Amino acid sequence: MGLERKLRLFIYARIEVSFLFLASTILLNYQDLAAAGDHLQSGLVRLMAFSFLFSLGCLFFLRYQKFHAFIAYLQTIWDLLFVTVLLLFTNGILSPYSFLYLLSIMSAGLLLGGREALYTASLCSIVYGSIVDMQYFGLLNTIGLSRSDAQQLGASHIFYTIFFNLMGFYLTALITGLLSARARESEEALREKTVNYDELERLSTSIVSNLESGLLTATPTGRIRVFNHYAEMITGITQADVYNTRLVEIFPALADIFGDMDTRMDGEFDYTLQNGELMTLGYNAVPFTDSQGGQAGIIINFKDLTSLKRMEEALKRADRLAALGEISARMAHEIRNPLAAMSGSVQLLAEHGSISENEQRLLRIVLREAGRLNGLITDFLAYARPSAPCKERFELRPLVEDTIVLLSSDSHFSKVSFHNLAGAHIQIQADVNQLRQVLLNLFRNAADAMPEGGVVKIESRFHFSGVDGFHKTLSAVITVSDTGSGIDSIMAAHLFEPFWTTKIDGSGLGLAVTYRIIEAHGGTITVESPPEGGCRFTIMLPE
């Protein structure tokens, strides 16, 4: 308990006692007693009135912290004077109020400490002994304390009275000092523990709030309690909204997590965001107990693995394609040389006049297929050994418009309608020619998927992305979607591999080259079938 609170309690108690005494005196018709010459009653009333006013003054100054210690000493001195005056008004040695010195000593010990309690006990002993001795020798007759009253008791009785009172004073001081010291030690220890608990609470709250992963706790009945900032960012739901909500309402995939709450559990699950985007979350769950060792609930820590999964898939594909591309590039180079020799020889034979018409036709087929094979090898070398992009900043929308105009005269796109929804002033940093080649490949792929005609839609936006959801980077997102038959997950897994195609006359290099161009830019390209149907390619290019 602080000094201010102790002082306030003592002052309130004194005010209450003084007020009750004054009220009772008024009820006993104090004016009649005073008029009759009852000086004792009049003096007590004045003493209580002064004590009441003194206590009010101390209570007023108690609002100022700099006066607390001064008021504590002043209270101790006033208690001693108050009891002394009360003894003088109530026959000195015959007064029944000498025990109030004990209260004065106790208040000094509680307010100021053990040493001040001993000082107060010494002052009480001196003052009380002086009153008794002076009354015994008749030095207080002028204030109404009769010498005869003291002498009737006898010297031995007076000696024992003083001795026992002094013993009581000092014993009270010692006991109060010990109790005060122990109480102060307990208060300090409690204050240290309270501070530590507050500090630990603030620290744990700060750690939980700033974790770079989601953390939530749930009761054994599946009700959510803690829901940190990362979890709020992923789900878009605040702690206040999710509190006491059932876990399965937020994460339906965790419905079976409470089946075995005695062991640690790990796993992954898919979570659909509010915008419809699918996210992969990895989690681990551990049970926790209360102070009695009973089951208190479960702690679930989870993290967004979507970007990490995509990176793993991209790295695996890149490793596979890099090895395949290195070998294929060497093979293509070796095939090209004899192919050129064969084409030259066939051309010489075709120019010879003795070749019949049928043989001329066969030779033209050979030259045509040799040219086709040479073009295929050229495309494959472009895939296997792509040139480094020459990046520059430009607006995307005009590039899309130019590409659409370029294809407008191609009969292959006669039934295809283009919707250019790219942002009006979105600028990206990339190689213009290579990105145009990417758009051409995607547009051709979309036209092949819609032989009866359809719509190709091009959109763009900026997106903050990052592996852990906190260290974010800005990326330009370009989507090309069509209204074709769509694509299944098995086809999507092989779509960017070279020579893998579902077309009868396709080479399987268009999308593979597209993948290598985007990869050379440090970006990613993914394919999916949206719920509304068709196929959607998503390109992400870093800014």
Side-chain angles (χ1 to χ4, degrees), residues 77 105 294 464:
I77 295 172
I105 296 169
F464 284 100

Side-chain angles (χ1 to χ4, degrees), residues 294-315:
Q295 190 66 255
I298 192 169
I299 301 175
I300 303 173
N301 184 36
F302 59 93
K303 197 167 187 177
D304 179 14
L305 302 181
T306 308
S307 299
L308 186 61
K309 289 290 184 181
R310 290 175 181 172
M311 288 178 61
E312 289 178 354
E313 294 174 1
L315 287 173

Side-chain angles (χ1 to χ4, degrees), residues 122-386:
S122 300
L123 287 175
C124 291
S125 301
I126 293 171
V127 172
Y128 183 72
S130 299
I131 291 175
V132 172
D133 288 342
M134 292 173 69
Q135 184 177 1
Y136 182 79
F137 290 106
L139 300 177
L140 298 178
N141 289 329
T142 55
I143 61 173
L145 293 181
S146 173
R147 175 183 180 184
S148 60
D149 292 337
Q151 289 182 343
Q152 286 179 359
L153 297 175
S156 59
H157 185 276
I158 292 175
F159 173 78
Y160 286 120
T161 299
I162 295 175
F163 175 76
F164 285 119
N165 276 280
L166 264 59
M167 289 292 294
F169 295 161
Y170 281 105
L171 285 175
T172 301
L174 290 173
I175 294 173
T176 303
L178 292 174
L179 292 176
S180 177
R182 181 165 295 183
R184 188 171 287 106
E185 291 176 358
S186 300
E187 288 178 5
E188 291 177 357
L190 180 61
R191 188 180 300 109
E192 290 179 0
K193 288 185 177 181
T194 303
V195 170
N196 289 337
Y197 284 134
D198 292 341
E199 183 178 356
L200 287 175
E201 183 179 0
R202 289 194 300 270
L203 182 62
S204 62
T205 302
S206 177
I207 291 174
V208 170
S209 299
N210 294 283
L211 277 177
E212 295 188 354
S213 62
L215 187 140
L216 65 86
T217 64
T219 64
T221 59
R223 299 284 180 175
I224 295 176
R225 290 295 182 261
V226 176
F227 204 72
N228 74 341
H229 180 62
Y230 186 100
E232 292 179 340
M233 289 182 59
I234 287 181
T235 60
I237 307 173
T238 64
Q239 163 78 73
D241 293 334
V242 82
Y243 184 80
N244 206 38
T245 303
R246 292 183 61 83
L247 179 62
V248 293
E249 296 179 14
I250 308 300
F251 298 118
L254 299 180
D256 300 330
I257 201 169
F258 295 95
D260 186 5
M261 293 182 59
D262 296 327
T263 58
R264 176 190 176 97
M265 291 167 282
D266 303 272
E268 298 177 3
F269 64 94
D270 292 332
Y271 177 72
T272 304
L273 299 177
Q274 294 179 349
N275 60 4
E277 184 179 349
L278 191 64
M279 176 182 290
T280 301
L281 299 178
Y283 74 93
N284 58 72
V286 293
F288 68 96
T289 58
D290 55 23
S291 58
Q292 284 76 34
Q295 190 66 255
I298 192 169
I299 301 175
I300 303 173
N301 184 36
F302 59 93
K303 197 167 187 177
D304 179 14
L305 302 181
T306 308
S307 299
L308 186 61
K309 289 290 184 181
R310 290 175 181 172
M311 288 178 61
E312 289 178 354
E313 294 174 1
L315 287 173
K316 290 178 182 178
R317 185 184 293 112
D319 290 341
R320 184 170 65 252
L321 296 182
L324 180 60
E326 186 66 24
I327 297 173
S328 302
R330 295 181 182 180
M331 292 181 63
H333 184 72
E334 295 300 326
I335 293 172
R336 200 172 212 181
N337 291 332
L339 182 62
M342 291 170 58
S343 297
S345 300
V346 171
Q347 286 178 354
L348 290 175
L349 286 174
E351 294 174 357
H352 200 278
S354 60
I355 302 296
S356 64
E357 182 63 27
N358 288 335
E359 290 174 341
Q360 288 281 355
R361 185 169 58 84
L362 292 175
L363 289 177
R364 283 195 298 271
I365 293 174
V366 172
L367 287 175
R368 187 188 65 197
E369 295 301 319
R372 182 171 175 271
L373 182 58
N374 186 60
L376 182 61
I377 292 174
T378 300
D379 291 342
F380 186 71
L381 284 175
Y383 160 76
R385 293 179 179 176

